[in-house]
Amino acid sequence: MSAPSQTQNASLPASGLRKFWSDFSESPTAVIALFVFFLILFIAIFAPWVSPSDPYDLTSVDIMNSRLPPGSEDFSGNFYLLGTDGAGRDMLSAIFYGLRVSLGVGALSGFVALIIGAALGLSAAYFGGRFETITMRIVDIQLSFPSILMALIILAAFGKGVEKTIIALILVQWAYYARAARASALVEKNKEYVEAAHCLALGNKRIILSHIAPNCMAPLIVVGTLQTAHAISLEATLSFLGLGLPITEPSLGLLIGNGFEYMYSGDFWISIFPGVALLITIVSINLVGDQLRDMFNPRLQK
Amino acid sequence: MTAFILRRSLQSIIVLFVMSLIVFVGVNLVGDPVDMLINPEADQAEIDRVIRDLGLDRPVSEQYWYFVVNAFQGDLGRSFIFGEPALKLIIQRMPATMELALFSLLMAVVFGIPLGIYAGLKPNSKVSKTIMAGSILGFSMPTFWVGIILIMFFSVSLGWLPSTGRGEVATYFGITSSIFTLDGLSHIFLPAFNLALFKLSSVIRLARAGTREVILQDYIKFARAKGVAESRVVRVHLLKNIMIPVVTIIGLEFGSLIAFSTVTETVFAWPGMGKLIIDSIYNLDRPVVVAYLMIIVVIFVTLNLIVDILYSVLDPRVRIKGVS
């Protein structure tokens, strides 16, 4: 388990690394969740190498093999652990590739939303005044709409597609980061080290970026973890509805949607297994996020 | 107070305007409805006539202006597909959505409160831990996938409950609903449960937290000391006091149930306005999409305004903070 702890702590000083891990490993559930998450991450990154076959290589996919139940074998001796879908693709491979798309979209949108939200939230807290009032008003208004509705409005208005889905997810999420960043920056900006930086006549940009921002990272990491799980779930929902990713980028949501029509004839595996993969991903990220939140919560600190 | 309400109302109007602009301009950039709606064998004169009838030949800004003027007169355009006013189509389907949302709200409360109270009274029992783990799962599971599982289990495998449509409807006291017939009830059960699941998890958590707080109060201790039966303590003293936060939150979140019903309605082919919007997006039926989005934005902006005003009445600090 040493590898995950190092990756987790890449941004923290080396001395804090050991303490971080000992705090984190207090919850065995969270350690298991973290392990599962890294396994999923590994599968997603190396999908082309760990998959039994390439589900989108038309030369290897045979329509004759469509809708084989889990654990069956075709005439050429290929084994399908989780069965095949309506086009004869191996479900296990399709899920591995789907994880790649789902995690990629979730992580990318989360990262951009973090940058935009943190930039606005930190500046709002630092500069205050009218800029803060207007920014936070927009945040409040946006948070009063359910995320599914915001995404629906954006995608209904601008159409589906990879970049549009990512934009929709960013627009849905940035407000959460902005709120978290502002809340912690409001506390940080009155501390002595910021005052010292002012006395050194450092520029605003430098004070925000290299003094305040690093000290606001903890809550942002927590929000980021939980929001990424939320974004993955939302993307799956939108793709299932046919509003999110196009058929050329088959995410888990799209796989579930494709299997939906076959379910009435009893071919449950086409829909169920991608859903299980989605659920494991979301739950493992949520459990890691919950543990991080408890660790960073000053009221629970010993 | 008046100033606060005025400022909030102004803000709501700005939000409405911005939303209408985004929605209208956005929808106008998607695809070309001319290709989809006109018979490919039609001659040029016929195509020109339809384009003129639908107003598609005007510049976008002019189309928007007509849209706003007409919207104030209750005319949100005519569906390309059905040929009927978009507003009428949506209002026709609204009762089905409201019925689904209300029924699932009821389910969330009916199941959630007893489970939450139990988990609060016996926080360390195995059953309570299962309930709480279940509520975490309820938060994590994507609604549409749970819907699929429910259909697979109860409709396909067991064949107990139907999975599509609204079933038989009956009208009493001027309200047409499927909850008045046995067939309708069997149809509404699965989709309502699916939609309720997320709210059920929050009700369980709220009820549990409330129970753990209230149970320590003096009036509970006093009731017990007086020799009141435990069941009566729970039913009267405890329940009444935990209902306040639960009802408040549930009321506030009614809007999000309507938003999420889009997903449930699509999975269960429930003929509400959520399914209508998804179908309309597929068909590039722009007036219906725009009308739906505008109606839902109006509903939300109004709900939020009412909540804001209610809060400021209940808690003056909100108002004072708003001034600064």
Side-chain angles (χ1 to χ4, degrees), chain A residues 110-171:
Chain A
F111 183 71
V112 179
L114 171 80
I115 302 289
I116 296 173
L120 286 169
L122 290 174
S123 325
Y126 186 78
F127 295 112
R130 183 156 282 246
F131 175 69
E132 181 182 26
T133 316
I134 292 174
T135 311
M136 296 327 284
R137 233 19 262 162
I138 296 174
V139 167
D140 283 348
I141 291 168
Q142 169 143 17
L143 292 180
S144 68
F145 286 87
S147 52
I148 180 101
L149 185 67
M150 286 300 298
L152 195 70
I153 290 174
I154 295 160
L155 290 172
F158 293 95
K160 64 194 257 178
V162 183
E163 66 283 358
K164 281 165 192 155
T165 308
I166 294 174
I167 291 171
L169 291 175
I170 293 169
L171 287 174

Side-chain angles (χ1 to χ4, degrees), chain A residues 137 141 144-146 149 156-158 237 240-243 256 260 263-264 268 271-272 275-276 278-279 282 286, chain B residues 8 11 15 23 26-27 30 140-142 144-145 148-149 151-152 163 256 260 263 266-267 281-282 293 296 300 304:
Chain A
R137 233 19 262 162
I141 291 168
S144 68
F145 286 87
L149 185 67
F158 293 95
T237 306
F240 170 78
L241 290 176
L243 307 176
I256 298 170
F260 187 44
M263 209 192 46
Y264 288 99
F268 64 92
S271 241
I272 298 304
V276 173
L278 179 67
L279 187 64
I282 295 170
N286 273 338
Chain B
R8 277 297 146 89
Q11 184 190 308
V15 172
V23 167
V27 169
V30 184
S140 298
M141 287 198 285
F144 70 100
W145 190 65
I148 293 176
I149 300 279
I151 291 181
M152 198 198 74
S163 66
S256 80
F260 269 99
V263 180
T266 307
V267 174
I281 292 173
Y282 280 132
L293 293 179
I296 202 115
F300 267 88
N304 288 335

Side-chain angles (χ1 to χ4, degrees), chain A residues 48-68:
Chain A
W49 292 278
V50 294
S51 300
S53 64
D54 181 353
Y56 304 106
D57 175 13
L58 291 176
T59 55
S60 71
V61 173
D62 189 349
I63 192 81
M64 292 297 287
N65 295 334
S66 73
R67 296 157 72 185
L68 293 175

Side-chain angles (χ1 to χ4, degrees), chain B residues 12-23:
Chain B
S12 301
I13 291 168
I14 294 173
V15 172
L16 274 179
F17 172 72
V18 172
M19 285 292 187
S20 74
L21 207 61
I22 292 174
V23 167

Side-chain angles (χ1 to χ4, degrees), chain B:
Chain B
M1 189 66 212
T2 320
F4 175 81
I5 294 177
L6 272 177
R7 205 168 45 237
R8 277 297 146 89
S9 306
L10 184 71
Q11 184 190 308
S12 301
I13 291 168
I14 294 173
V15 172
L16 274 179
F17 172 72
V18 172
M19 285 292 187
S20 74
L21 207 61
I22 292 174
V23 167
F24 187 83
V25 173
V27 169
N28 271 276
L29 298 175
V30 184
D32 185 3
V34 177
D35 294 339
M36 301 199 55
L37 291 157
I38 299 170
N39 188 344
E41 284 159 24
D43 58 16
Q44 195 56 43
E46 171 71 8
I47 292 174
D48 288 344
R49 192 186 61 77
V50 178
I51 288 177
R52 215 169 33 248
D53 283 357
L54 298 175
L56 297 170
D57 55 342
R58 308 270 170 75
V60 172
S61 59
E62 204 174 317
Q63 284 189 43
Y64 178 72
W65 174 245
Y66 281 120
F67 166 72
V68 171
V69 170
N70 289 332
F72 275 108
Q73 295 164 351
D75 177 10
L76 287 164
R78 202 168 257 277
S79 163
F80 292 161
I81 308 286
F82 299 94
E84 285 190 64
L87 195 65
K88 188 179 151 208
L89 274 174
I90 291 163
I91 288 173
Q92 272 172 356
R93 284 169 176 69
M94 208 183 262
T97 298
M98 291 296 167
E99 164 190 275
L100 185 65
L102 282 173
F103 198 77
S104 55
L105 202 62
L106 190 75
M107 273 177 132
V109 172
V110 168
F111 291 120
I113 289 182
L115 289 173
I117 291 180
Y118 183 87
L121 288 175
K122 298 188 176 127
N124 293 319
S125 82
K126 277 226 166 67
V127 179
S128 301
K129 288 200 170 132
T130 316
I131 293 172
M132 294 321 286
S135 84
I136 293 177
L137 216 57
F139 271 124
S140 298
M141 287 198 285
T143 313
F144 70 100
W145 190 65
V146 178
I148 293 176
I149 300 279
L150 289 175
I151 291 181
M152 198 198 74
F153 199 69
F154 290 104
S155 305
V156 179
S157 296
L158 296 172
W160 287 356
L161 293 165
S163 66
T164 52
R166 206 179 163 193
E168 204 180 309
V169 293
T171 309
Y172 287 99
F173 314 114
I175 301 167
T176 303
S177 170
S178 49
I179 60 170
F180 297 130
T181 67
L182 212 58
D183 180 54
L185 269 180
S186 75
H187 277 86
I188 202 174
F189 190 82
L190 281 185
F193 181 69
N194 182 213
L195 190 57
L197 210 63
F198 193 82
K199 291 283 161 281
L200 184 66
S201 304
S202 8
V203 173
I204 288 178
R205 277 159 175 258
L206 280 170
R208 177 176 175 269
T211 304
R212 298 197 65 182
E213 213 176 288
V214 169
I215 210 77
L216 301 172
Q217 301 289 318
D218 288 340
Y219 55 82
I220 298 281
K221 282 182 198 152
F222 183 70
R224 279 180 177 160
K226 207 166 64 171
V228 175
E230 186 65 23
S231 67
R232 196 177 150 78
V233 172
V234 171
R235 244 182 316 118
V236 180
H237 299 82
L238 179 75
L239 190 62
K240 276 191 181 163
N241 285 292
I242 64 164
M243 281 308 277
I244 301 159
V246 172
V247 168
T248 317
I249 295 292
I250 283 295
L252 294 185
E253 301 229 328
F254 184 69
S256 80
L257 273 179
I258 294 175
F260 269 99
S261 73
T262 326
V263 180
T264 302
E265 284 177 15
T266 307
V267 174
F268 290 91
W270 188 262
M273 54 183 198
K275 186 165 176 356
L276 177 70
I277 167 85
I278 300 291
D279 292 346
S280 303
I281 292 173
Y282 280 132
N283 299 330
L284 289 187
D285 196 352
R286 289 190 300 172
V288 179
V289 173
V290 172
Y292 172 85
L293 293 179
M294 287 323 296
I295 285 177
I296 202 115
V297 168
V298 168
I299 291 176
F300 267 88
V301 167
T302 317
L303 272 178
N304 288 335
L305 184 66
I306 293 170
V307 168
D308 271 357
I309 292 172
L310 277 181
Y311 267 170
S312 81
V313 171
L314 296 172
D315 185 353
R317 280 177 302 180
V318 176
R319 212 156 57 221
I320 295 160
K321 201 180 129 229
V323 172
S324 64

